[in-house]
Amino acid sequence: MKTTAVERRAELLRLYTGMPWQSARRRVEAAAPGSLLIPQPDADQMLLEARVMAALAWRRITTLHPWGIEYIDPRPDCLLIRFEADPVEQRDQEETQALDLAEALLPRADEYGDIQGVPGARTHVEGGQVMLRVLDTSASVTLLGLDPDDWLLAVDAQDRHMGTYGMTPCHRDMPARWHPAERPYRRPGRRGTAASAWMTSGLLRRLGLIRTLGAPLAVTGWLGHHERGGGERWIIDPTFAEGAGTTGHRRLMALLAAPGWGLPLAPVDEHCTCHLPPGYSDQCTTVAAGLAERPGVLEVRTIQRHGDCLKRIQEHSPATFAAQQQLALSVPAWVDRWLKRVGSPTSEVPVDTVTNLR
């Protein structure tokens, strides 16, 4: 049991980011008492992180951790993302982190000028680490867990592969300047992307919370639509092996909105099926909207697998399933008491301004 203030702050940092215990403790010990351990970055950094989150929201390879991320190290001026090793049950030689990330993150333009990947992003190997930076800004994300030589080979392979589909590699054609196809994204006011970056970036910085639901089986995410009041609606659907049930998904939302640690979100709708018999429905849905006129809506569809459905998953990929069982983050009882004490924000968002609640 964590009894000191330092230990409890380190435990919360571990739950929010997935950071290893010793690393979390060192971060707390080095920080000023009461300081924010998950700081909000500046506008450029926030937008980069939001676009990285969008690029990673639907991984094309099988991963153990949510979105293949072991942990997040959030800092005021940058973000470090530790990616897991290649899949436990690798059925295809192209199912590697390096190949998948090179395809997802690097900007390439199609024949219509639309960008796939992160506009303005360029990668460099610096000090033995793969760095993702945005041109003309100080924004950066460090991609930990990637071998630099493997990364460079993967980038070359994906450029060639995407070229067969007529995609133009903006990062290669113009490594030090914005490609003409990227320039409309330099000041992104369109379609709510920048307006909702606080939410998408904030979710990435708190990615460890997904594992408080139980053993993660899969997590996908996507842009649902654009809200009437501006901003985007993001949907994520963490699927996990039976475990915490109602306590889990309600605790997840409480942690996401906890003062000093979470985001300025308040719930506006919930559809819970935990009280129904197994098999009736596996999904509970919660919708939360930004407070204080922050545009954006987050819809979390927690899906719990049990019984025959869980058995089929286990039989299809036994090694992956066995490894995932070790990843659930146990939530200490004192965390629930802390959540009751700090309270949850009350929604300041009229329900009728949030469209399509269900």
Side-chain angles (χ1 to χ4, degrees), residues 117-188:
V118 179
R122 304 292 186 266
T123 57
H124 313 273
V125 175
E126 303 174 18
Q129 296 177 335
V130 179
M131 302 287 295
L132 182 74
R133 299 185 181 278
V134 175
L135 294 168
D136 303 330
T137 76
S138 61
S140 70
V141 172
T142 304
L143 310 179
L144 301 175
L146 298 177
D147 179 270
D149 292 334
D150 290 346
W151 172 255
L152 295 175
L153 290 173
V155 171
D156 287 342
Q158 288 293 25
D159 283 346
R160 292 194 301 271
H161 175 69
M162 301 299 284
T164 62
Y165 294 97
M167 303 288 286
T168 300
C170 305
H171 66 101
R172 188 176 294 276
D173 283 8
M174 303 188 73
R177 290 185 296 144
W178 288 77
H179 190 278
E182 297 176 290
R183 288 172 189 163
Y185 297 85
R186 293 182 69 172
R187 294 179 176 83

Side-chain angles (χ1 to χ4, degrees), residues 6 35 89 99 111 127 142 150 169 179 193 229 241 244 248-249 270 285 294 316 319 330 343:
V6 168
S35 60
E89 295 177 283
L99 282 168
E111 59 182 312
T142 304
D150 290 346
H179 190 278
T193 301
H249 73 76
E270 180 189 78
T285 301
R294 287 179 175 84
H316 180 262
S330 177

Side-chain angles (χ1 to χ4, degrees), residues 17-35:
T17 65
M19 194 181 293
W21 165 251
Q22 292 298 335
S23 298
R25 177 157 186 159
R26 286 194 296 270
R27 179 61 54 80
V28 172
E29 290 172 340
S35 60

Side-chain angles (χ1 to χ4, degrees), residues 53-54 56-59 67 219-224 234-238:
M53 181 72 249
L56 299 178
W58 200 295
R59 296 301 303 272
W67 291 297
V219 186
T220 51
W222 64 96
L223 175 63
W234 267 94
I235 301 168
I236 63 170
D237 57 352

